[in-house]
Amino acid sequence: MRFRLSLAAFVAALVLAPLSASAAAYEFEKFDASYVFDPSGVVSITEDIQVDFQVPRHGLIWKVPVSYRTDTGDRRNIRLRVLSVTDRAGNAIPFETSRNGDNLEVKIGDADVEVIGPVYYRMKSVLERAWNSFPEHDEFYWNVIGFDHEDLPADVSATIEPPPGVKTSDIKTRCFAGPLGSADDTRCTPAESDGQLLFVAREPMTIVIGM
């Protein structure tokens, strides 16, 4: 049985916004994500987000589309479960999830506590029901970070851990860097390290994994 996994590019575009009604002043310092593939098609996601708040804020709002129409016009509903949000020391950070139209919104932070300066968030989640199968292959197509931000990180990485029994040499990869819809594959090059795939860019990127 083939490993089946695919995501429409715009579904994976994460949106991070300040947890405040007013405009925020913050800078992304770094964004690292890791994706562990299970043979069942489930994806375990860990995202390390480093933000520098220039003014006091309560936290971030994280959004991801969980319902959308495919190119064929079919309605696709995926399941995203946020398991935890922690700081660098592993201490739990409050978060709330809610459905807003086609998006799942995650409010990260304490409404009674403001933060300023460098802040680190580690968010763990599980993605299900998000795969399609093509006649010749199965594909994972993912925007590592969204584009609707006041500031875009200049240091972005993504690590892929294949399912058991799948070698990195058997996986086809591509990576596109730049604005949403970019087909520029010259500024983002995948590499293999210790049985994993590593993608690095100095700007938002989209990774493509074919098996």
Side-chain angles (χ1 to χ4, degrees):
M1 181 177 179
R2 292 190 301 171
F3 176 74
R4 298 186 173 186
L5 184 61
S6 174
L7 293 165
F10 65 90
V11 173
L14 306 183
V15 179
L16 289 168
L19 188 56
S20 173
S22 60
Y26 67 94
E27 295 179 354
F28 277 115
E29 295 184 332
K30 195 173 183 181
F31 186 96
D32 299 312
S34 66
Y35 308 91
V36 180
F37 295 165
D38 186 85
S40 66
V42 173
V43 186
S44 297
I45 304 174
T46 300
E47 291 162 314
D48 294 325
I49 308 164
Q50 298 184 43
V51 184
D52 188 357
F53 289 98
Q54 307 299 306
V55 296
R57 288 291 182 267
H58 295 290
L60 296 172
I61 296 179
W62 177 69
K63 303 177 183 178
V64 60
V66 292
S67 180
Y68 62 96
R69 291 198 178 277
T70 65
D71 293 340
T72 61
D74 297 328
R75 171 66 67 175
R76 167 59 59 86
N77 296 299
I78 67 175
R79 177 185 293 170
L80 182 69
R81 293 184 291 117
V82 179
L83 305 179
S84 66
V85 180
T86 58
D87 62 16
R88 194 180 297 276
N91 300 310
I93 296 176
F95 70 92
E96 298 179 357
T97 61
S98 61
R99 183 68 179 267
N100 185 0
D102 290 339
N103 294 329
L104 179 71
E105 293 188 353
V106 186
K107 291 184 178 181
I108 304 172
D110 191 330
D112 296 324
V113 177
E114 290 185 330
V115 293
I116 190 170
V119 178
Y120 171 92
Y121 299 107
R122 166 167 283 189
M123 181 162 51
K124 293 189 175 184
S125 57
V126 173
L127 184 65
E128 301 173 280
R129 298 179 180 176
W131 53 90
N132 291 318
S133 182
F134 297 93
E136 67 281 3
H137 71 285
D138 301 307
E139 188 176 83
F140 179 71
Y141 197 117
W142 186 261
N143 295 135
V144 174
I145 187 170
F147 302 88
D148 188 14
H149 313 297
E150 288 186 19
D151 181 67
L152 292 174
D155 190 348
V156 181
S157 72
T159 303
I160 302 294
E161 182 175 324
V166 177
K167 299 179 180 179
T168 56
S169 58
D170 297 329
I171 300 175
K172 296 180 179 180
T173 63
R174 293 194 73 183
C175 185
F176 307 103
L180 183 64
S182 172
D184 188 344
D185 60 359
T186 64
R187 303 198 304 272
C188 174
T189 304
E192 191 273 337
S193 177
D194 297 327
Q196 298 180 330
L197 294 169
L198 176 64
F199 301 80
V200 177
R202 303 295 295 177
E203 56 191 316
M205 64 177 172
T206 298
I207 58 176
V208 186
I209 309 295
M211 288 184 277

